Amino acid sequence: MAIDFVIRNARLPGMIEPTDITFEAGRIAAIAPQFVCDAPHYDAGGKLACGGLIETHIHLDKAGIISRCNLCTGTLAEAVSETSRAKAAFSEEDVYARAAAVVEKAVLNGTTRLRTFVEIDPRAGFRSFEAIKHLKADYTSLIDIEICAFAQEGLTNDPGTEAMLEQALRTGADLVGGCPYTDPEPAEHIRRIFDLAMRHDVAVDFHLDFDLDPSGSNLPTVIAETVARRYQGRVSVGHVTKLSALPPEELETIGRRLAEAGIALTVLPSTDLFLTGRNSTHLIPRGVTPAHRLAALGVVTTISTNNVLNPFTPFGDVSLMRMANLYANIAQIGTADGLDGVFAMTTTQAATLLGTEGYGIAIGNAADVVLFDASSAADAVAIIAPAVTGWKNGRQSFLRPRPRLFVREG
């Protein structure tokens, strides 16, 4: 065995004792304590190792535009309209620069894969799409990027968008996404997005039910279309904040239907908190779907960042660990087992949602490893553990030395 590199004394999720992880030709060759070889090594010092964090739902194209927008009401409608106005002036160079800044921060925070939605319509044109395609190619040595061609402002009400999505799917988009709550005909919107997906044999990801009124949900339509088209395991939905307004017995019923239909769900804690509950004057609802309760029913659930520094979320540092901690606070999860489950929503569960094969630290998988300054998965979520260093396909991708204190003596 021609070992190229060894990470020594790393802790894997669920393991108490540290172990060594060896690399050979960009893949994991062995996992064993005190592995004997003379290859170059890095001493993890007992830090937590994983396959990296995964963003299942982020918008690179419209990140960093808050200074170009007017924020008055803080509502979803305002965020959509202000972003629509701003994106008409986007250039490829502008989108690339803003998106690259976010991607670099994501890598430094331990993210190794992400799915980004890219708005494609007559206002955005293909400028954002072309920029993100170039970004995907340029950063491939650091992170895997998946592009979702996305109809943010509707479909039946936006002539030209459907044909543009079709073209994007022919020229580099990895999947298609819809937003039925911005369309006057949401059911038709859902059907057309599924039609596009089936013609190009790609997955589907919907922004769905983004309010706190439990009535009028479009989720049953998505479930019905998924089952009728035999698309189980290839459909995901984001936000779905209506579910946070359901009593436990109704949540369990819809959760079992989601699990049976193989539909995965992503919560976006920062955005969902910021935009929902605006009509409440006191006892303001959290508005975040209890993903951990759905996970207990067998639903694939994930946590993601969504937006960074724009009208949908006017803050953010692309730290998915911070987002996991925020979710744990909102959901009032404090046990080690519960926090382990939250960590899984940013790692193994997220890999399942994206259909990622060969994710994680296992023999034969790509040598994608990130070390966090924590002793366990639960500890990492609880303390918002910083990423220390990482490797992509066996090559070191970043390094963030631990801060040092200089204590004055005397």
Side-chain angles (χ1 to χ4, degrees), residues 158-336:
D158 204 5
T161 295
E162 189 168 356
M164 294 177 74
L165 293 174
E166 187 97 55
Q167 183 174 337
L169 288 166
R170 288 196 299 264
T171 57
D174 299 293
L175 71 157
V176 65
C179 192
Y181 63 75
T182 61
D183 198 309
E185 299 182 51
E188 179 63 17
H189 179 112
I190 291 167
R191 284 190 287 272
R192 291 189 188 185
I193 292 294
F194 266 107
D195 287 344
L196 282 166
M198 293 187 71
R199 284 200 294 273
H200 294 272
D201 192 25
V202 297
V204 176
D205 200 328
F206 289 104
H207 290 41
L208 207 66
D209 288 0
F210 200 2
D211 61 61
L212 301 184
D213 179 356
S215 66
S217 172
N218 290 305
L219 190 53
T221 302
V222 171
I223 293 172
E225 291 290 336
T226 299
V227 174
R229 297 168 187 259
R230 298 181 180 179
Y231 237 58
Q232 292 92 331
R234 304 186 73 186
V235 179
S236 46
V237 293
H239 299 293
V240 207
T241 52
K242 282 181 182 290
L243 294 181
S244 71
L246 295 181
E249 60 276 8
E250 292 183 32
L251 180 70
E252 181 174 348
T253 297
I254 196 69
R256 294 193 184 283
R257 291 185 63 194
L258 285 169
E260 292 168 1
I263 296 173
L265 179 143
T266 297
V267 294
L268 299 313
S270 189
T271 302
D272 296 349
L273 276 173
F274 182 74
L275 291 178
T276 60
R278 289 281 174 171
N279 294 327
S280 299
T281 59
H282 59 286
L283 286 178
I284 299 171
R286 290 179 170 93
V288 177
T289 288
H292 60 293
R293 294 180 184 172
L294 296 173
L297 298 171
V299 181
V300 173
T301 57
T302 73
I303 298 165
S304 203
T305 294
N306 193 37
N307 282 292
V308 179
L309 300 174
N310 69 20
F312 293 86
T313 320
F315 27 69
D317 58 359
V318 212
S319 168
L320 195 49
M321 193 66 76
R322 183 176 66 82
M323 206 59 63
N325 176 276
L326 176 60
Y327 177 81
N329 272 276
I330 296 164
Q332 299 175 319
I333 297 171
T335 65

